[in-house]
Every structure is written in structure tokens, then in C-alpha cells.
């Protein structure tokens, strides 16, 4: 069972855009319900479960804080550059060049910091999703069994048919009963590669 869920998670996370979307104007394919074949959308569980919504809100908060930090330093750097340009005529060329080099060094360091914060945020997002999916894996077997499933298919990979055996809402409800929020902070910077 764990490998089926993991495969569905991998499909949903690795290629969320691969499913062919049914347009509003095309009629549903329908057909008979296939006994034992169940569907679930990991992305929809992530989006609709309380824990997924709480994680999304926290990730947005962390992203705003990181962006504010970078924006503040960018504004200070731009102000210093403007002041240097205003002093250009009164400085010796060697003094101006030295100050300009110092500004370029600060700008490069700021770019590195921005890249680092982006990496930290992505690592944080991945770890939050792993934790949520770990919790999801704890509830899916019971929902799967309760619906008499014999096969679980990623709903986003289905081109059409009778979608009557969709477990997504039941999994969301079960996950909401198990956990509604998680706490986390920005992950530390990734370790530099070993030499």
C-alpha cells in the first residue's frame, strides 16, 4: 500500500501539469463505475486539507519575511550607490573606484543572500510537504479499505470516465480529523558540497 501512495505522490508532485484538463464545454465521459478502482488527487488534498492550508499560509509568511529582508538591503544599497554617484565629481578616481568596488561586492553578497533564502524556502516547502504527505499516508489505507478499493489511481492522470469513486474528499476529512496545522520555520541553509 505504501508504494502505491508514494507512486501517486511522486506523480502528483513531479508532473502536476501532465493531466489533460477537461474543458467546461466537453461533456463528461461518464460510463459505469469500475468496481475497486479508486481515484485521489494529492494536489487537491494538499490544497483543501486544513494542514495544507496552514502550511501554505506559513510558507507565504516566510516568503514575505525573506523578501522584506532582501528589499531592505536592496534599498540601502541603492541609496549608497546614488550617494556615491553624487560624490563622483568630488572624489579622486581611485577613491571612487574603491567605493564602487565595495558596492559591487555588497551587491554580489546580497544576490547570494537572496539565492540562499530562495533555497531555504524551497527546502522548507519540500519538508512541509513531506510531513503532510507522511500524515496523509497514515489515513489513506483506512479510506481505501472503507471504499473497497483494489487500485488507487492519481485522479490528475485520468483523462476521463466515471469519477464516482474519488477518495479525495474522504482523505481530506480524515486528514483534518488527524491534524489541522504544523509549525515550522525557515530551514537552515543547505550544507556546502563536500570537497
Amino acid at each position: 500500500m505504501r508504494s502505491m501512495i508514494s507512486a501517486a505522490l511522486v506523480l502528483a508532485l513531479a508532473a502536476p501539469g501532465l493531466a489533460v484538463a477537461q474543458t467546461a464545454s466537453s461533456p463528461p465521459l461518464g460510463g459505469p463505475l469500475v468496481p475497486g478502482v479508486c481515484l485521489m488527487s494529492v494536489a487537491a488534498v494538499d490544497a483543501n486539507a486544513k494542514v495544507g492550508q496552514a502550511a501554505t499560509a506559513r510558507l507565504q509568511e516566510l516568503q514575505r519575511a525573506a523578501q522584506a529582508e532582501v528589499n531592505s538591503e536592496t534599498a540601502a544599497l541603492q541609496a549608497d550607490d546614488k550617494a556615491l554617484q553624487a560624490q563622483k565629481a568630488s572624489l579622486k578616481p581611485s577613491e571612487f573606484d574603491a567605493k564602487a568596488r565595495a558596492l559591487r561586492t555588497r551587491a554580489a553578497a546580497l544576490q547570494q543572500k537572496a539565492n540562499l533564502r530562495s533555497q531555504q524556502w524551497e527546502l522548507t516547502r519540500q519538508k512541509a510537504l513531506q510531513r503532510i504527505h507522511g500524515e496523509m499516508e497514515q489515513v489513506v489505507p483506512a479510506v481505501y479499505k472503507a471504499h473497497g478499493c483494489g487500485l488507487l489511481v492519481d485522479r490528475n492522470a485520468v483523462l476521463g470516465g466515471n469519477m464516482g469513486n474519488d477518495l479525495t474528499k474522504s482523505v481530506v476529512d480524515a486528514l483534518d480529523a488527524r491534524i489541522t496545522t504544523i509549525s515550522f520555520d525557515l530551514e537552515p541553509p543547505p550544507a556546502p558540497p563536500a570537497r
Side-chain angles (χ1 to χ4, degrees), residues 94-158:
S94 60
E95 287 178 301
F96 178 81
D97 289 343
K99 289 184 179 200
R101 268 194 309 276
L103 282 176
R104 285 192 298 273
T105 300
R106 282 177 53 201
L110 180 57
Q111 182 62 54
Q112 287 178 340
K113 180 185 267 190
N115 291 342
L116 182 63
R117 292 295 180 267
S118 180
Q119 290 173 355
Q120 287 177 269
W121 185 86
E122 180 59 26
L123 184 59
T124 303
R125 185 190 72 78
Q126 289 173 4
K127 286 195 174 187
L129 273 178
Q130 285 174 349
R131 183 160 172 216
I132 292 167
H133 293 166
E135 295 290 338
M136 188 188 315
E137 286 183 353
Q138 300 302 310
V139 301
V140 168
V143 174
Y144 178 91
K145 185 176 181 180
H147 283 77
C149 300
L151 178 66
L152 182 59
V153 178
D154 180 358
R155 182 180 80 188
N156 299 325
V158 174

Side-chain angles (χ1 to χ4, degrees), residues 33-40 147-149 162-168:
L33 185 65
V34 180
V37 176
C38 298
L39 308 166
M40 184 180 86
H147 283 77
C149 300
N162 187 327
M163 307 295 263
N165 220 1
D166 186 346
L167 307 182
T168 305

Side-chain angles (χ1 to χ4, degrees), residues 21-29:
Q22 184 174 340
T23 63
S25 62
S26 62
L29 294 177

